Amino acid sequence: MTAPLLEVRNLRVEFHTRRGTLTALNDVSLTIAPGEVLGMVGESGAGKSMTGAAIIGLIEPPGRIAAGQVLLDGRRIDNLRYDQMRQVRGRQIGAIFQDPLTTLNPLYTVGRQLVETITTHLPLNPAQARKRAIEWLEMVGIPAAAQRIDSYPHEFSGGMRQRVVIALALCAEPRLIVADEPTTALDVSIQAQVIALLKRLAREKGTAMLLVTHDMGVIAETADRVAVMYAGRIAEIGPVRDIVKAPNHPYTAGLMASIPPLDRRVDKLAAIEGSMPRLSAIPPGCAYNPRCPRVFDRCVRERPDLLDAGTTRAACWLHAHG
Amino acid sequence: MLAVSFISFAMFTYVGDPVAIMLGQDFTEAQRAALVAELGLDQPFFVQFLKFIGNAVQGEFGLSYRLSRPVAELIAERAPATLELALCAAVIAMAVGVPMGVYTGLYRHSILSRFFLTFSLIGVSLPTFLIGILLILIFAVALGWLPSFGRGDVVRLGWWTTGFLTVSGLKALILPAITLGVFQLTLIMRLVRAEMMEVLRTDYIKFARARGLSNRAINFGHALKNTLVPVITIAGLQLGAIIAFAIVTETVFQWPGMGLLFIQSVGAADVPVMAAYLMLIALVFVTINLIVDLLYYAVDPRLRIGKGAH
Ligand SMILES: Nc1ncnc2c1ncn2[C@@H]1O[C@H](COP(=O)(O)OP(=O)(O)OP(=O)(O)O)[C@@H](O)[C@H]1O
Ligand code: SF4
Ligand SMILES: [Mg+2]
């Protein structure tokens, strides 16, 4: 295995609130190799966005990284000062947010936003940067890019705006993209196009990606490996084939069973009973134990770490050997 | 505008008895009738109203009952003083209020921010006349640095008189301009602060950070520009308010502007002057609204239609 591009080690993110400290991320570790796509799934509130925000160093107070490290090329980036981290953001790690209607500044033309990003990070003069910006708009499939560059965000449709956002995230040629539900806010009919674009550009540029999504179909098609999050922890992580076809964690298995198969019609989906606990009410032992069909006495007493489970790693006592 | 003119006129007609004031104590019934006819007061209400409007449009507001001079002339004489005062107050309010608002919005917890906020609380809660009197006590009476009343020496430029060109004129401007500006200043500061904090929470600011832009570009480019969109409206309305509120300041400082004229007219039930003043203030508000709309259009591309979306 090549040296990882990104490594997250035992990351813990806490929120200090009036009603005590909430642990939004607990002991999260993962790696992403150069050019690799790591999919991330999990229920709402599991901590997917928080993981992405921690990686780009944009966790907002009262949240803070309480423990653990984030390393890029083996260099810690979680403790950089703002102006040092600024040279990582955009240049090394790009970000794509969920809602393209709100991620673009309404008062600046898309060209201006592209040019300012390019000139911030690359040694180009404004004229060269503008040329580069037009090239990027063409690459993300904006028709008549040379004219559209001077348009304002509101003059584009939602799908086109997300293409602009993708251009903005990629235009300083980062080596990693954190894409947090990049298509959730889009029309169903254009979701596939945008994902295909993202996948193609990442492959062409050799950009690694952390792809957060609720869509297992997208994961199966796009990701190399998958991390399944549950209540602020990683429940299982491994190659996409094994996670989808032969999951080792009961939660992953439940998640997969709740996805309608494409090849046959089903009358009833096997949804997981109950819901994920709130951060303030995570049960002792395995966080999944109230909902787990295979729960046994150890699960209620002790919390499982990620354990080797064949081809994947799963936080489940069923895989404790010896 | 029409509503204001109607109210002004109704006042014109029903408040006080101008005839009695103009004639003094002793008059004959014949004298009275002659004057009533001369002023057109014997005609029916609506005829009088239409005449009033027709004259007002031509800048003709009749005679002042008190000074027996044309109202338009009186107003033109006083307007420069008020407008110069209001302009200085507005410039102070914007030039100090916006930076203070930006600063307190960006550095919410710094000591200086707390100081500014406390100051703004005082500015909002102290009545204008009290601020004026306090300033007079400190800078005019105790320290003797600045004059406490009047406009100082003015220079005549055509029909306009300006205090900007003489030292005594400028010195005389300082205290009243601060007095008049403080309230608006604190309002603008609080507004800018609230808007700034709102804007800093938006996704496009987070995305700008995620793109690695400098703090400077984010705070003073992206954030400030978005903050100013709503601030423009309020600031515009405030400018109108400054001209209207000048009444109090002008009274405290005996500033020879329209506000002082108005107050003196109220004392003498000099209705034509009062009516003309109110009409003028209404006109100022309407004009400012128009300018604000145009500015909006210039700042916010979303309002510039016709470019074809999608
Ligand atoms: N300001 C905050 N104060 C307290 N808790 C917070 C705050 N912001 C987020 N959280 C908590 O952090 C947890 C992780 O949130 P996160 O946004 O990462 O979830 P997610 O997996 O991205 O969910 P979704 O699918 O809805 O986007 C949530 O349980 C949320 O309640
Ligand atoms: S540890 Fe126990 S409760 Fe948790 S997932 Fe495994 S079997 Fe279920
Ligand atoms: Mg999320």
Side-chain angles (χ1 to χ4, degrees), chain A residues 81-94:
Chain A
R81 288 201 324 270
Y82 184 89
D83 52 327
Q84 294 172 314
M85 190 59 196
R86 195 165 83 64
Q87 287 154 22
V88 173
R89 286 190 208 120
R91 181 73 184 96
Q92 306 288 338
I93 307 178

Side-chain angles (χ1 to χ4, degrees), chain A residues 220-252:
Chain A
E221 250 173 61
T222 316
D224 301 306
R225 289 189 306 133
V226 185
V228 180
M229 302 270 314
Y230 190 81
R233 293 168 182 274
I234 292 182
E236 184 169 7
I237 183 167
V240 64
R241 268 187 60 97
D242 305 301
I243 296 277
V244 174
K245 291 264 158 58
N248 288 307
H249 193 288
Y251 176 62
T252 317

Side-chain angles (χ1 to χ4, degrees), chain B residues 30-276:
Chain B
Q31 275 179 312
R32 184 189 158 88
L35 188 64
V36 165
E38 189 191 321
L39 293 173
L41 294 178
D42 53 348
Q43 275 149 20
F45 181 81
F46 273 99
V47 175
Q48 286 190 39
F49 179 60
L50 287 179
K51 249 171 115 181
F52 172 76
I53 291 281
N55 289 336
V57 169
Q58 296 162 23
E60 184 60 61
F61 291 94
L63 284 181
S64 158
Y65 298 153
R66 183 169 63 99
L67 303 169
S68 301
R69 288 176 54 198
V71 173
E73 198 180 298
L74 284 174
I75 297 255
E77 205 174 277
R78 300 297 194 98
T82 297
L83 293 180
E84 283 186 359
L85 176 62
L87 182 74
C88 288
V91 167
I92 291 175
M94 291 297 280
V96 182
V98 171
M100 271 168 71
V102 170
Y103 180 86
T104 51
L106 287 177
Y107 308 102
R108 254 166 289 166
H109 304 292
S110 81
I111 295 173
L112 196 55
S113 289
R114 279 162 216 256
F115 172 75
F116 284 163
L117 285 177
T118 315
F119 163 79
S120 82
L121 213 64
I122 297 171
V124 173
S125 47
L126 274 189
T128 303
F129 75 86
L130 206 62
I131 294 176
I133 289 169
L134 283 178
L135 287 177
I136 289 177
L137 278 180
I138 298 171
F139 293 100
V141 178
L143 297 172
W145 291 349
L146 297 166
S148 65
F149 66 89
R151 257 189 113 185
D153 299 325
V154 293
V155 175
R156 200 161 254 296
L157 302 169
W159 64 273
W160 187 275
T161 55
T162 180
F164 287 151
L165 297 178
T166 62
V167 177
S168 74
L170 287 174
K171 272 174 127 178
L173 251 174
I174 298 176
L175 290 186
I178 292 177
T179 307
L180 185 55
V182 158
F183 181 76
Q184 320 297 334
L185 186 160
T186 54
L187 262 180
I188 287 177
M189 175 194 138
R190 293 189 154 250
L191 178 76
V192 169
R193 172 175 180 269
E195 279 303 325
M196 194 78 183
M197 282 160 53
E198 186 75 35
V199 167
L200 287 176
R201 273 197 295 273
T202 59
D203 277 354
Y204 57 81
I205 294 297
K206 278 182 214 158
F207 188 55
R209 292 199 197 291
R211 287 189 278 143
L213 302 186
S214 67
N215 257 335
R216 209 185 130 81
I218 293 172
N219 292 339
F220 299 106
H222 291 257
L224 188 58
K225 197 165 179 199
N226 278 282
T227 300
L228 288 183
V229 172
V231 169
I232 287 173
T233 340
I234 308 290
L237 293 178
Q238 290 309 316
L239 185 63
I242 283 182
I243 295 180
F245 282 144
I247 292 179
V248 177
T249 307
E250 289 185 2
T251 311
V252 172
F253 287 93
Q254 289 298 300
W255 187 261
M258 294 186 291
L260 193 59
L261 177 69
F262 179 74
I263 288 294
Q264 289 162 348
S265 306
V266 169
D270 192 351
V271 179
V273 176
M274 289 156 67

Side-chain angles (χ1 to χ4, degrees), chain A residues 86 102 105 116-117 121 155, chain B residues 203-204 211-212 222 226 310:
Chain A
R86 195 165 83 64
T102 58
N105 183 345
E116 69 180 351
T117 313
H121 296 295
E155 297 172 77
Chain B
D203 277 354
Y204 57 81
R211 287 189 278 143
H222 291 257
N226 278 282
H310 304 274

Side-chain angles (χ1 to χ4, degrees), chain A residues 30-279:
Chain A
L30 55 82
T31 61
I32 302 180
E36 182 184 48
V37 177
L38 176 69
M40 184 169 269
V41 293
E43 279 163 86
S44 194
K48 308 182 295 295
S49 299
M50 207 58 74
T51 309
I55 290 170
I56 50 177
L58 286 178
I59 289 185
E60 305 211 325
R64 61 181 196 98
I65 296 181
Q69 303 182 344
V70 180
L71 299 95
L72 187 76
D73 284 327
R75 185 172 76 109
R76 272 187 78 170
I77 56 168
D78 58 284
N79 57 358
L80 294 182
R81 288 201 324 270
Y82 184 89
D83 52 327
Q84 294 172 314
M85 190 59 196
R86 195 165 83 64
Q87 287 154 22
V88 173
R89 286 190 208 120
R91 181 73 184 96
Q92 306 288 338
I93 307 178
I96 298 171
F97 292 178
Q98 183 169 335
D99 187 355
L101 299 186
T102 58
T103 26
L104 296 171
N105 183 345
L107 302 186
Y108 283 10
T109 63
V110 300
R112 177 160 176 193
Q113 300 187 49
L114 275 162
V115 167
E116 69 180 351
T117 313
I118 293 169
T119 52
T120 298
H121 296 295
L122 303 178
L124 296 178
N125 66 38
Q128 294 166 321
R130 188 179 159 90
K131 208 164 142 266
R132 181 72 63 87
I134 295 174
E135 287 165 15
W136 270 108
L137 289 178
E138 281 164 358
M139 272 189 273
V140 296
I142 305 281
Q147 286 96 60
R148 299 292 269 155
I149 186 167
D150 293 317
S151 302
Y152 288 91
H154 71 276
E155 297 172 77
F156 292 87
S157 67
M160 285 296 156
R161 277 195 233 189
Q162 195 65 314
R163 287 170 190 264
V164 172
V165 170
I166 291 173
L168 278 164
L170 288 169
C171 66
E173 294 160 15
R175 290 182 303 149
L176 174 69
I177 292 281
V178 175
D180 190 354
E181 307 196 34
T183 59
T184 308
L186 300 181
D187 235 44
V188 182
S189 55
I190 49 178
Q191 289 185 354
Q193 295 171 19
V194 171
I195 286 289
L197 170 74
L198 202 52
K199 191 175 153 184
R200 176 171 63 78
L201 286 175
R203 189 165 338 101
E204 280 173 16
K205 309 278 170 194
T207 315
M209 183 152 56
L210 175 67
L211 178 61
V212 175
T213 172
H214 285 279
D215 189 336
M216 283 308 298
V218 167
I219 293 279
E221 250 173 61
T222 316
D224 301 306
R225 289 189 306 133
V226 185
V228 180
M229 302 270 314
Y230 190 81
R233 293 168 182 274
I234 292 182
E236 184 169 7
I237 183 167
V240 64
R241 268 187 60 97
D242 305 301
I243 296 277
V244 174
K245 291 264 158 58
N248 288 307
H249 193 288
Y251 176 62
T252 317
L255 214 55
M256 297 306 146
S258 65
I259 299 162
L262 292 172
D263 44 352
R264 64 195 153 86
R265 277 199 52 191
V266 278
D267 292 330
K268 193 160 178 273
L269 289 177
I272 309 173
E273 290 275 320
S275 57
M276 198 175 69
R278 272 176 297 127
L279 292 180

